Amino acid sequence: MSGYAIVLASGELERIQAVSMIGSIAASSDTPVEVFVTMNGLPAFEKDRVESGDFNVAGPAGEAMLRDEGDDVPLFTEQLSRAKQIGPMSVYACEMVMDIMDNEIDDYVDVFDDVLGVAGFLSHASDKQIIFV
Amino acid sequence: MSESINPDTTIDSRGAACPGPLMDLIGKVKEVDTGTVIELQTSDSGSKDDVPEWLEESGHELLDIVDHGDYWSVYVEKT
């Protein structure tokens, strides 16, 4: 196994936070991680939404994280940016969702390495364990 | 024994929740030379338990964990 390819298809804050934390520690420990952000996951990375903190939460853990306002638990954007400086982590935005929502890559926070389609992601993921979130 | 450890460098991660302290430690471990003794200060009980797990996996040495009441000092030597 030469790392993890994580498909982040959920816009729920809890799931996004979990992906950013687990992926960050893996990458920091020199395990390659590729994150493909697609479906409702992608809108959570829009600059306006990140700025306003207007995230979907599924339950009490997410509500607690929103109340925390980054005092203790860093937001996924910060966590991912940091992990990318320490270890082998790449984050990709799904081209289809970006197009369908009429967005450009600049509409999202600056954590993305590239914009990819499904074939592109599968090629990056071919030697990795795929985790679907 | 714990009194005798003199760290070469100290990371103050008090106030940060999991996985912040571990990330701080990993970042530091990567930049220092082999043999460097690092003190990681954390007030997060989960990190106090999670850091030794990472050390076991990564092969660096856990020298000691000292309980200061409102935070812990985890002493690590880079191998």
Side-chain angles (χ1 to χ4, degrees), chain A residues 21 24-25 28-30 71-73 79 82-83 86, chain B residues 15-20 22-24 26-27 30 54:
Chain A
M21 289 173 168
S24 293
I25 293 299
S28 302
S29 306
D30 296 323
D71 289 345
D72 287 332
V73 180
Q79 186 78 43
R82 203 169 156 215
I86 300 180
Chain B
C18 168
L22 180 54
M23 293 279 289
D24 293 338
I26 294 173
K30 289 200 169 186
W54 179 77

Side-chain angles (χ1 to χ4, degrees), chain A residues 95-131:
Chain A
E95 187 154 29
M96 182 273 283
V97 174
M98 207 172 84
D99 287 349
I100 211 170
M101 300 202 64
D102 232 355
N103 275 339
E104 302 289 330
I105 192 67
D106 290 342
D107 294 323
Y108 300 99
V109 287
D110 187 23
V111 297
F112 293 103
D113 294 84
D114 207 350
V115 179
L116 282 184
V118 172
F121 170 71
L122 287 175
S123 143
H124 281 269
S126 60
D127 60 341
K128 297 186 175 61
Q129 184 176 337
I130 295 185
I131 300 172

